[in-house]
Amino acid sequence: MSALATDSPGLTLRKERFGTAMEFYAPGLKRWQTAEWQPEKHNRFLPVSVTGTACALQCDHCKTHVLEGMVTIEKDTDLFATAQRLQASGTEGLLVSGGSTRTGGVPLLPHVDAMRRVREELGMRVIVHSGVVSPQLAEGLVAARVDGVMLDIMGAEETIREVYHLDLSVDDFDKSLSLLAEHGLRIIPHIVLGLHYARFLGEWKALEMIQRYPVSTLILVVLTPLVGTPMAHLKPPPLEDVVEFFATARQAMPDTKVNLGCGRPMGAMKQAMDRAAIDNGLNGIAYPADGAIAYARERGLEPAFYEYCCSLTWANA
């Protein structure tokens, strides 16, 4: 598509509301570079798992594979000591995450004081991936002064049961959003597109729920069938469905930043998805495909580069 091509309604909208800055992100989840961008410091922002590779849910799309790439808190140390060690090597911020309990939340409560110390004594940014939120956890995260809270939002009971193996309802995820909003925490919801075995099911309901809350940034990721999981044999969700959701999300949340996150299929589909994200007015892309940066310029956008998580959009200023 040439620079003279007509902008989509989504791209027109995002230029009107946000200007022409197109944000590209390279967090330290993995070593990564393309011909267009070579990040300077691969460990500037790192994920830490408070449970190692343990997770009680064994979700069908993950089976703990996502946890395997995270920093683990070493035996006989705590989160603060781990942060000190990482900071000494150049790390400036942490995503504190981990496996889930049977009730759907990451066991973060024992670590809230350490998070507060990481923020106050080390001056590092801290965001958390919480899972389902309890009142006690919301209060603890306020006390810890975390920069933001990420959580996956699901809008279909079948997905909650069959993929996540949770005995919860859609209302439980809505209550988590409500608790975070009531406590004034920065909310960074994620929607996994095609999560129900590579087909769309509750994504629109999830978007509808998210619209009701003061969200900082909406992150869209796309199911990537992983080897060693019950979804390994599946193809990724159809590209046309993904692109349609990009357009829907942009129009549904015109004043909220919407980013394409780390998790998505590779190869030609990634290239097509990244172009579609640009065409439909998304604000940012994590780990952009080769050619995506040049394509953004073709569409009248000015690339900006950040070596941290794409949820930290407010830090760009």
Side-chain angles (χ1 to χ4, degrees), residues 11 13-14 20 33 76 101 104 118 121 150 156 174 180 184 228 238 286 300 309-310 314:
L11 186 53
L13 176 63
R14 71 90 73 202
T20 58
Q33 67 178 41
D76 300 326
T101 66
V118 172
E121 297 178 33
M150 306 193 310
D174 192 44
L180 295 174
C309 179
C310 72
W314 68 93

mmCIF file of all heavy atoms in Angstrom, residues 11 13-14 20 33 76 101 104 118 121 150 156 174 180 184 228 238 286 300 309-310 314:
data_model
loop_
_atom_site.group_PDB
_atom_site.id
_atom_site.type_symbol
_atom_site.label_atom_id
_atom_site.label_comp_id
_atom_site.label_asym_id
_atom_site.label_seq_id
_atom_site.Cartn_x
_atom_site.Cartn_y
_atom_site.Cartn_z
ATOM 1 N N LEU A 11 -7.487 4.381 11.339
ATOM 2 C CA LEU A 11 -6.237 5.131 11.248
ATOM 3 C C LEU A 11 -6.515 6.636 11.283
ATOM 4 O O LEU A 11 -5.777 7.401 11.920
ATOM 5 C CB LEU A 11 -5.485 4.745 9.975
ATOM 6 C CG LEU A 11 -4.085 5.352 9.798
ATOM 7 C CD1 LEU A 11 -3.211 5.099 11.020
ATOM 8 C CD2 LEU A 11 -3.422 4.798 8.537
ATOM 9 N N LEU A 13 -9.002 8.019 12.844
ATOM 10 C CA LEU A 13 -9.368 8.280 14.230
ATOM 11 C C LEU A 13 -8.144 8.399 15.109
ATOM 12 O O LEU A 13 -8.023 9.338 15.917
ATOM 13 C CB LEU A 13 -10.298 7.185 14.741
ATOM 14 C CG LEU A 13 -10.720 7.250 16.212
ATOM 15 C CD1 LEU A 13 -11.529 8.506 16.479
ATOM 16 C CD2 LEU A 13 -11.520 6.005 16.587
ATOM 17 N N ARG A 14 -7.218 7.453 14.984
ATOM 18 C CA ARG A 14 -6.052 7.481 15.868
ATOM 19 C C ARG A 14 -5.158 8.685 15.575
ATOM 20 O O ARG A 14 -4.549 9.254 16.484
ATOM 21 C CB ARG A 14 -5.277 6.163 15.831
ATOM 22 C CG ARG A 14 -4.498 5.848 14.572
ATOM 23 C CD ARG A 14 -3.082 6.351 14.581
ATOM 24 N NE ARG A 14 -2.265 5.571 15.462
ATOM 25 C CZ ARG A 14 -1.136 6.001 15.994
ATOM 26 N NH1 ARG A 14 -0.710 7.228 15.737
ATOM 27 N NH2 ARG A 14 -0.414 5.238 16.770
ATOM 28 N N THR A 20 0.572 11.401 15.207
ATOM 29 C CA THR A 20 1.185 10.484 14.242
ATOM 30 C C THR A 20 2.280 9.600 14.832
ATOM 31 O O THR A 20 2.927 8.853 14.099
ATOM 32 C CB THR A 20 1.770 11.277 13.062
ATOM 33 O OG1 THR A 20 2.728 12.221 13.553
ATOM 34 C CG2 THR A 20 0.667 12.007 12.298
ATOM 35 N N GLN A 33 15.869 -8.765 17.465
ATOM 36 C CA GLN A 33 16.210 -7.616 16.636
ATOM 37 C C GLN A 33 15.761 -7.890 15.217
ATOM 38 O O GLN A 33 15.485 -9.032 14.842
ATOM 39 C CB GLN A 33 17.714 -7.324 16.662
ATOM 40 C CG GLN A 33 18.570 -8.407 16.008
ATOM 41 C CD GLN A 33 20.051 -8.040 16.026
ATOM 42 O OE1 GLN A 33 20.564 -7.523 17.009
ATOM 43 N NE2 GLN A 33 20.730 -8.284 14.915
ATOM 44 N N ASP A 76 16.233 -19.001 48.749
ATOM 45 C CA ASP A 76 16.784 -18.249 49.876
ATOM 46 C C ASP A 76 16.937 -16.750 49.584
ATOM 47 O O ASP A 76 17.665 -16.046 50.303
ATOM 48 C CB ASP A 76 18.143 -18.820 50.330
ATOM 49 C CG ASP A 76 18.032 -20.270 50.778
ATOM 50 O OD1 ASP A 76 16.981 -20.619 51.353
ATOM 51 O OD2 ASP A 76 18.974 -21.034 50.542
ATOM 52 N N THR A 101 -2.893 -19.748 40.937
ATOM 53 C CA THR A 101 -3.457 -20.683 41.909
ATOM 54 C C THR A 101 -4.763 -21.245 41.349
ATOM 55 O O THR A 101 -5.257 -20.811 40.299
ATOM 56 C CB THR A 101 -3.757 -19.958 43.231
ATOM 57 O OG1 THR A 101 -4.800 -18.999 43.001
ATOM 58 C CG2 THR A 101 -2.524 -19.244 43.752
ATOM 59 N N GLY A 104 -7.463 -18.689 40.439
ATOM 60 C CA GLY A 104 -7.339 -17.829 39.271
ATOM 61 C C GLY A 104 -6.441 -16.624 39.402
ATOM 62 O O GLY A 104 -6.350 -15.813 38.475
ATOM 63 N N VAL A 118 11.220 -2.235 45.964
ATOM 64 C CA VAL A 118 11.812 -2.123 44.616
ATOM 65 C C VAL A 118 11.480 -0.759 44.017
ATOM 66 O O VAL A 118 12.333 -0.097 43.405
ATOM 67 C CB VAL A 118 11.299 -3.261 43.712
ATOM 68 C CG1 VAL A 118 11.738 -3.046 42.263
ATOM 69 C CG2 VAL A 118 11.808 -4.614 44.217
ATOM 70 N N GLU A 121 13.079 2.095 47.004
ATOM 71 C CA GLU A 121 14.514 2.086 47.308
ATOM 72 C C GLU A 121 15.386 1.945 46.064
ATOM 73 O O GLU A 121 16.498 2.482 46.022
ATOM 74 C CB GLU A 121 14.822 0.959 48.293
ATOM 75 C CG GLU A 121 14.133 1.129 49.646
ATOM 76 C CD GLU A 121 14.405 -0.031 50.590
ATOM 77 O OE1 GLU A 121 15.512 -0.608 50.515
ATOM 78 O OE2 GLU A 121 13.510 -0.386 51.393
ATOM 79 N N MET A 150 -1.697 -5.774 34.949
ATOM 80 C CA MET A 150 -2.131 -6.452 33.743
ATOM 81 C C MET A 150 -2.949 -7.682 34.135
ATOM 82 O O MET A 150 -2.633 -8.357 35.119
ATOM 83 C CB MET A 150 -0.933 -6.896 32.895
ATOM 84 C CG MET A 150 0.041 -5.780 32.571
ATOM 85 S SD MET A 150 1.232 -6.219 31.279
ATOM 86 C CE MET A 150 1.854 -7.781 31.841
ATOM 87 N N ALA A 156 -16.196 -15.425 27.907
ATOM 88 C CA ALA A 156 -16.980 -16.644 27.649
ATOM 89 C C ALA A 156 -16.748 -17.652 28.761
ATOM 90 O O ALA A 156 -15.598 -17.994 29.067
ATOM 91 C CB ALA A 156 -16.600 -17.254 26.300
ATOM 92 N N ASP A 174 -15.046 -9.329 35.531
ATOM 93 C CA ASP A 174 -15.614 -7.987 35.622
ATOM 94 C C ASP A 174 -15.370 -7.403 37.017
ATOM 95 O O ASP A 174 -15.023 -6.217 37.163
ATOM 96 C CB ASP A 174 -17.111 -8.048 35.323
ATOM 97 C CG ASP A 174 -17.720 -6.677 35.119
ATOM 98 O OD1 ASP A 174 -17.105 -5.852 34.416
ATOM 99 O OD2 ASP A 174 -18.799 -6.417 35.665
ATOM 100 N N LEU A 180 -9.936 -3.006 40.708
ATOM 101 C CA LEU A 180 -8.769 -2.211 40.322
ATOM 102 C C LEU A 180 -9.156 -0.753 40.133
ATOM 103 O O LEU A 180 -8.433 0.159 40.551
ATOM 104 C CB LEU A 180 -8.159 -2.778 39.037
ATOM 105 C CG LEU A 180 -7.557 -4.186 39.149
ATOM 106 C CD1 LEU A 180 -7.124 -4.681 37.774
ATOM 107 C CD2 LEU A 180 -6.374 -4.208 40.121
ATOM 108 N N GLY A 184 -8.082 2.794 42.293
ATOM 109 C CA GLY A 184 -7.288 3.774 41.561
ATOM 110 C C GLY A 184 -6.027 3.219 40.934
ATOM 111 O O GLY A 184 -5.076 3.976 40.655
ATOM 112 N N GLY A 228 3.796 -28.850 22.641
ATOM 113 C CA GLY A 228 3.703 -29.356 24.006
ATOM 114 C C GLY A 228 2.447 -28.939 24.735
ATOM 115 O O GLY A 228 2.324 -29.160 25.940
ATOM 116 N N PRO A 238 -8.104 -17.212 12.273
ATOM 117 C CA PRO A 238 -8.084 -16.618 10.928
ATOM 118 C C PRO A 238 -7.684 -15.139 10.956
ATOM 119 O O PRO A 238 -8.165 -14.371 11.791
ATOM 120 C CB PRO A 238 -9.532 -16.787 10.447
ATOM 121 C CG PRO A 238 -10.063 -17.940 11.237
ATOM 122 C CD PRO A 238 -9.395 -17.840 12.582
ATOM 123 N N ALA A 286 4.526 -4.484 19.862
ATOM 124 C CA ALA A 286 5.695 -5.083 20.502
ATOM 125 C C ALA A 286 6.391 -6.019 19.518
ATOM 126 O O ALA A 286 5.733 -6.762 18.789
ATOM 127 C CB ALA A 286 5.273 -5.852 21.747
ATOM 128 N N GLY A 300 2.201 7.548 6.982
ATOM 129 C CA GLY A 300 2.204 8.883 7.564
ATOM 130 C C GLY A 300 2.428 8.928 9.056
ATOM 131 O O GLY A 300 2.094 9.922 9.716
ATOM 132 N N CYS A 309 8.085 -2.813 28.274
ATOM 133 C CA CYS A 309 6.801 -3.451 28.007
ATOM 134 C C CYS A 309 5.818 -2.475 27.365
ATOM 135 O O CYS A 309 5.756 -1.293 27.730
ATOM 136 C CB CYS A 309 6.240 -3.973 29.333
ATOM 137 S SG CYS A 309 4.642 -4.769 29.198
ATOM 138 N N CYS A 310 5.027 -2.978 26.412
ATOM 139 C CA CYS A 310 4.093 -2.107 25.695
ATOM 140 C C CYS A 310 2.915 -1.684 26.559
ATOM 141 O O CYS A 310 2.065 -0.904 26.113
ATOM 142 C CB CYS A 310 3.605 -2.774 24.415
ATOM 143 S SG CYS A 310 2.448 -4.147 24.639
ATOM 144 N N TRP A 314 2.179 5.232 29.353
ATOM 145 C CA TRP A 314 2.234 6.539 29.982
ATOM 146 C C TRP A 314 3.672 6.982 30.246
ATOM 147 O O TRP A 314 3.946 8.171 30.426
ATOM 148 C CB TRP A 314 1.457 6.536 31.302
ATOM 149 C CG TRP A 314 2.113 5.694 32.343
ATOM 150 C CD1 TRP A 314 2.993 6.089 33.284
ATOM 151 C CD2 TRP A 314 1.955 4.283 32.521
ATOM 152 N NE1 TRP A 314 3.410 5.023 34.048
ATOM 153 C CE2 TRP A 314 2.769 3.902 33.587
ATOM 154 C CE3 TRP A 314 1.184 3.314 31.868
ATOM 155 C CZ2 TRP A 314 2.840 2.585 34.027
ATOM 156 C CZ3 TRP A 314 1.263 2.006 32.310
ATOM 157 C CH2 TRP A 314 2.083 1.649 33.363
#
